[in-house]
Amino acid sequence: MILTGFFQTVEFFVIAALAAAAIVAYMCMPRTRGEAVTHTVGGELLEDGEATEPADGEESSGLLTAEVRDDGAVVLTRSGIRGITASGAVSLAVTVIGFDVHIEERRMRGFSNDTAVGSARFVLDFLAPEWYHIRYSYSDEGEFCSFQLHVKPGIRMKRRIKR
């Protein structure tokens, strides 16, 4: 009888409310995504880039082609690069956090009297055969694209890079 009287007291309801709040707070905590690992990938400059014409009502600044080779490496081809010559360089800073990949493009223009290049190729050989959420951006000109990629041999996809 004394024990059942405790369930009717204010103290019991305060303790029950605190326990419920602690459980809700624990359930709302974000899952750990893992450690961030950044890779720097140098690009191979290609003189002949693909033509990239924007669709109706869309401003486009290039095309990103992702292809998964038989060995599991992802080959990214970035076309529509402007202002880079053969003596310049294009590289990527690839940050992987779990299955989220952020790719930041970096450019160095080169000498003005060299041959202009239109595209660059990158090989990402550090991704496991999983689904990834990829965000590609070049912040200097505000260019970006986002997509999901299944790293599985034979997969090939193209995405427009927008401003």
Side-chain angles (χ1 to χ4, degrees), residues 86-124:
S87 62
V90 180
S91 64
L92 301 178
V94 182
T95 304
V96 181
I97 304 173
F99 299 111
D100 296 327
V101 179
H102 179 249
I103 302 173
E104 180 69 32
E105 181 179 308
R106 298 175 178 170
R107 297 180 187 173
M108 185 168 28
R109 299 205 180 277
F111 300 114
S112 60
N113 57 356
D114 281 346
T115 307
V117 296
S119 58
R121 182 177 298 133
F122 309 94
V123 178
L124 311 179

Side-chain angles (χ1 to χ4, degrees), residues 126-132 151:
F126 46 82
L127 298 176
E130 290 287 343
W131 281 92
Y132 289 94
V151 179

Side-chain angles (χ1 to χ4, degrees), residues 34-48:
E35 183 177 318
V37 178
T38 301
H39 303 273
T40 303
V41 180
E44 173 190 359
L45 298 176
L46 308 171
E47 288 185 20
D48 51 313

Side-chain angles (χ1 to χ4, degrees), residues 19-39:
I23 291 171
V24 169
Y26 177 74
M27 297 299 284
C28 292
M29 285 178 38
R31 295 185 309 228
T32 57
R33 296 187 330 168
E35 183 177 318
V37 178
T38 301
H39 303 273

Side-chain angles (χ1 to χ4, degrees), residues 22 30 46 55-57 59 104 123 125 133 138 145 154 160:
L46 308 171
D56 295 336
E59 185 179 351
E104 180 69 32
V123 178
D125 56 358
H133 304 279
Y138 177 56
C145 76
R160 289 229 173 260

Side-chain angles (χ1 to χ4, degrees), residues 139-159:
S139 58
D140 290 354
E141 294 183 9
E143 301 171 341
F144 68 94
C145 76
S146 296
F147 56 95
Q148 286 187 340
L149 177 66
H150 188 190
V151 179
K152 181 179 175 183
I155 299 289
R156 180 178 170 86
M157 61 188 327
K158 292 184 179 184
R159 293 291 183 259

